[in-house]
Amino acid sequence: MEKEYPLQKKMAVDKMEEECGVFGIYDSKGSNDVATLSYLGLHALQHRGQESAGICVNHRGKFNIYKGMGLVNNVFNEDILADLKGEIAIGHVRYSTTGSSLLANAQPLLTNSIKGDLAIAHNGNLINSSEIRLNLENQGSIFHSTLDTEVIAHLVARSFKDNIVEALMHSLQQVKGAYSLIAMAGDNLIAARDPHGFRPLSLGKLGDAYVVASETCAFDIIGAKLIRDIKPGEMIVINKDGITSRFYSEEQPSRFCIFEFIYFARPDSVIGGQNVHLARKEMGRQLAREMDVEADIVVPVPSSGISAAIGFAEESGIPYEKGILRNRYVGRTFIQPTQEIRDLKVRVKLNPIREIVEGKRVILIDDSIVRGTTSKQIIRMMREAGASEIHFAISSPPVIESCYYGLDTSRRQELIAAHNSVEEIANYIGADSLTYVSIEGLLNSIKAEGFDYCTACFTGDYPIGRGTDKYALEE
Ligand code: SF4
């Protein structure tokens, strides 16, 4: 009999969700349409956030912003982009949990203080923003959103540094957390990564223009070339004099979020010289080396399991098959108020191909299990389509802890692996067997140069603590 997992919240996520993507462009000659290029860059970063999108342009020091709720395509059209003229632009896509899905929380955030206009687009999470916010409110600051970005903007306004770029650097020295940030102030485009480099941020070039983005796939879409990753603790400033690079913190151990390689980042992106698809393939190869099961076909859960399944099939010699079809036209606007409708959502999105799976012993590959409800639904559909055995193989270790560094992972009590053994999880989701890749195997699969990783959601070893924000204090 299947064990019922008791702590499933109706609105909890069943996939690790990225919270934001950022893009920026500096074109001193004004020869590019920076708003349209930002739009295209954000389009490539859409997987990092689907709830709101925004672009702020800077024309000779005059800022103009447009943002709205929904996908990049829905927020912008040709007329809106035509009104956004300038030489510098920054853009943002945001994912949020339901409670904070408001236009007030859409980015970029544009603020004005005695130091001048400042626009900020930010990806990540500050773990001391509640404390700072309380201090600032006690000193009279009034907040208009729940964004960490606004905390940074207030710190800039209150900084004793008169120069706005210096004030931004001073502010970043006061915050703690995981973030990649792009800002515009005066005639400067500014990009910075937190001292441990949790979130990705790359620098590229398009003709004479410089571009920065969360991922290199945003460069590919506009024909820009990758120069390098922004380094942990580095702030670069781009203006008419070119690029300057400074470090605003002492060197810290690198702690890049390993989930960027497992799931979040697009497979065509390159991080630290490592292509994401190839890293995932290697995770699949490693999984095959660690697993001892006889089967007829290897089937990915699309699209998150595809790269690992290809690697698994190559290593094991078991044929790769497209045994589940993904409906490409399902948007994220699908309303999911109850668990029943969430289950329906899986059926709308994924459909097993009976002619492929019927009578077959299937190795089913996915990148992770968060709550287990989606996996259970997929396995049930595979059995209904006639699969004789289903061996579920996961290209990451069990997720046992929440993320406090910018990812929406569900709370700890909702994570199935936090409270159940591998055998219990297999029983709950209805798989004949369940195998997770080892943490060592995972780490060995990624060859990014000079990187060390945050693996806290698998180990509970939080590199900078859990902080005092979000639900950290409740757990
Ligand atoms: Fe990434 Fe997990 Fe660390 Fe969060 S806790 S930054 S998801 S590795």
Side-chain angles (χ1 to χ4, degrees):
M1 206 173 106
E2 277 182 349
K3 175 184 172 188
E4 270 311 307
Y5 181 58
L7 292 168
Q8 288 148 8
K9 256 184 72 178
K10 280 180 182 168
M11 300 306 291
V13 294
D14 199 13
K15 204 76 190 164
M16 306 283 266
E17 298 281 1
E18 184 56 83
E19 291 198 345
C20 297
V22 292
F23 181 89
I25 179 162
Y26 182 94
D27 176 28
S28 59
K29 297 196 172 151
S31 46
N32 290 291
D33 176 351
V34 293
T36 299
L37 292 173
S38 299
Y39 165 84
L40 292 168
L42 293 181
H43 203 274
L45 298 173
Q46 187 76 84
H47 59 289
R48 299 185 73 88
Q50 299 85 31
E51 295 217 356
S52 67
I55 295 172
C56 184
V57 293
N58 177 345
H59 178 49
R60 295 181 189 152
K62 191 166 176 293
F63 287 42
N64 188 7
I65 191 165
Y66 190 91
K67 49 191 178 178
M69 302 305 289
L71 300 174
V72 178
N73 262 345
N74 303 127
V75 171
F76 294 99
N77 60 37
E78 283 182 11
D79 292 341
I80 293 166
L81 291 171
D83 281 344
L84 294 171
K85 298 213 179 310
E87 302 78 43
I88 318 174
I90 65 171
H92 189 268
V93 285
R94 178 169 196 261
Y95 164 87
S96 73
T97 51
T98 310
S100 56
S101 179
L102 300 168
L103 186 56
N105 284 335
Q107 297 189 43
L109 184 74
L110 177 58
T111 59
N112 178 269
S113 72
I114 198 161
K115 298 185 177 76
D117 286 339
L118 173 69
I120 309 179
H122 161 269
N123 166 215
N125 186 50
L126 305 182
I127 61 168
N128 64 343
S129 66
S130 293
E131 286 163 57
I132 297 176
R133 179 181 288 255
L134 195 62
N135 278 341
L136 290 168
E137 282 174 341
N138 287 338
Q139 293 167 47
S141 294
I142 296 170
F143 284 81
H144 301 285
S145 73
T146 56
L147 295 175
D148 286 351
T149 325
E150 196 178 355
V151 172
I152 297 170
H154 278 279
L155 288 173
V156 170
R158 287 184 169 265
S159 170
F160 64 88
K161 305 266 186 190
D162 293 333
N163 177 292
I164 196 163
V165 177
E166 297 299 323
L168 180 58
M169 183 174 271
H170 180 229
S171 305
L172 295 182
Q173 286 162 342
Q174 297 168 67
V175 300
K176 196 171 170 193
Y179 56 85
S180 285
L181 169 149
I182 301 180
M184 265 189 325
D187 66 347
N188 304 291
L189 177 69
I190 303 151
R193 264 178 97 192
D194 74 74
H196 294 277
F198 282 92
R199 301 273 147 243
L201 192 62
S202 298
L203 171 68
K205 197 123 200 272
L206 176 69
D208 292 328
Y210 286 102
V211 283
V212 277
S214 294
E215 287 182 43
T216 60
C217 60
F219 297 163
D220 298 339
I221 195 171
I222 59 171
K225 298 271 174 282
L226 170 67
I227 299 176
R228 65 175 175 87
D229 291 346
I230 311 280
K231 298 192 175 90
E234 181 181 19
M235 175 189 272
I236 62 163
V237 179
I238 307 170
N239 56 32
K240 59 182 178 346
D241 301 322
I243 292 192
T244 52
S245 161
R246 289 158 71 186
F247 287 84
Y248 62 92
S249 99
E250 307 235 314
E251 195 173 338
Q252 303 283 340
S254 148
R255 287 291 178 261
F256 187 74
C257 169
I258 203 161
F259 244 102
E260 293 279 353
F261 277 111
I262 295 166
Y263 171 66
F264 303 131
R266 243 173 64 161
D268 50 343
S269 287
V270 174
I271 305 169
Q274 166 75 71
N275 167 264
V276 173
H277 165 68
L278 293 177
R280 286 178 193 163
K281 257 184 87 174
E282 192 51 39
M283 291 170 206
R285 284 183 172 278
Q286 179 62 26
L287 194 47
R289 289 191 281 266
E290 293 182 17
M291 195 169 163
D292 184 23
V293 176
E294 287 189 6
D296 302 310
I297 51 174
V298 176
V299 172
V301 173
S303 0
S304 50
I306 290 175
S307 302
I310 293 169
F312 191 108
E314 282 180 5
E315 183 72 23
S316 64
I318 302 170
Y320 174 95
E321 274 289 4
K322 188 175 177 176
I324 303 176
L325 185 89
R326 181 185 169 91
N327 181 349
R328 278 184 271 165
Y329 302 102
V330 180
R332 288 182 49 95
T333 46
F334 200 93
I335 299 164
Q336 39 182 295
T338 65
Q339 188 59 47
E340 292 68 38
I341 292 190
R342 182 188 293 280
D343 289 349
L344 178 64
K345 184 184 172 187
V346 178
R347 284 191 178 274
V348 168
K349 222 164 147 182
L350 303 175
N351 192 28
I353 302 175
R354 175 174 290 278
E355 289 72 12
I356 299 292
V357 304
E358 192 165 30
K360 299 281 184 6
R361 298 169 299 172
V362 177
I363 293 182
L364 183 66
I365 311 262
D366 206 351
D367 70 289
S368 59
I369 303 175
V370 178
R371 297 167 58 239
T373 47
T374 304
S375 307
K376 179 178 180 148
Q377 180 82 357
I378 293 167
I379 289 169
R380 187 188 298 151
M381 291 192 301
M382 293 287 280
R383 291 221 187 272
E384 286 167 6
S388 62
E389 289 176 27
I390 300 168
H391 301 280
F392 204 23
I394 306 297
S395 60
S396 66
V399 176
I400 57 166
E401 296 285 353
S402 300
C403 176
Y404 302 94
Y405 305 145
L407 276 303
D408 189 1
T409 51
S410 290
R411 297 181 183 206
R412 186 174 188 277
Q413 63 263 34
E414 295 155 352
L415 300 170
I416 192 167
H419 311 283
N420 292 276
S421 67
V422 173
E423 202 183 329
E424 286 171 325
I425 300 168
N427 190 26
Y428 169 71
I429 62 178
D432 293 289
S433 73
L434 171 63
T435 306
Y436 290 92
V437 82
S438 65
I439 190 104
E440 299 76 21
L442 170 66
L443 289 165
N444 287 336
S445 303
I446 309 170
K447 306 286 181 231
E449 291 156 26
F451 277 38
D452 272 321
Y453 298 94
C454 174
T455 56
C457 46
F458 308 127
T459 61
D461 180 12
Y462 291 95
I464 53 171
R466 299 195 305 176
T468 52
D469 291 340
K470 289 174 81 178
Y471 38 85
L473 295 176
E474 296 170 25
E475 301 194 327

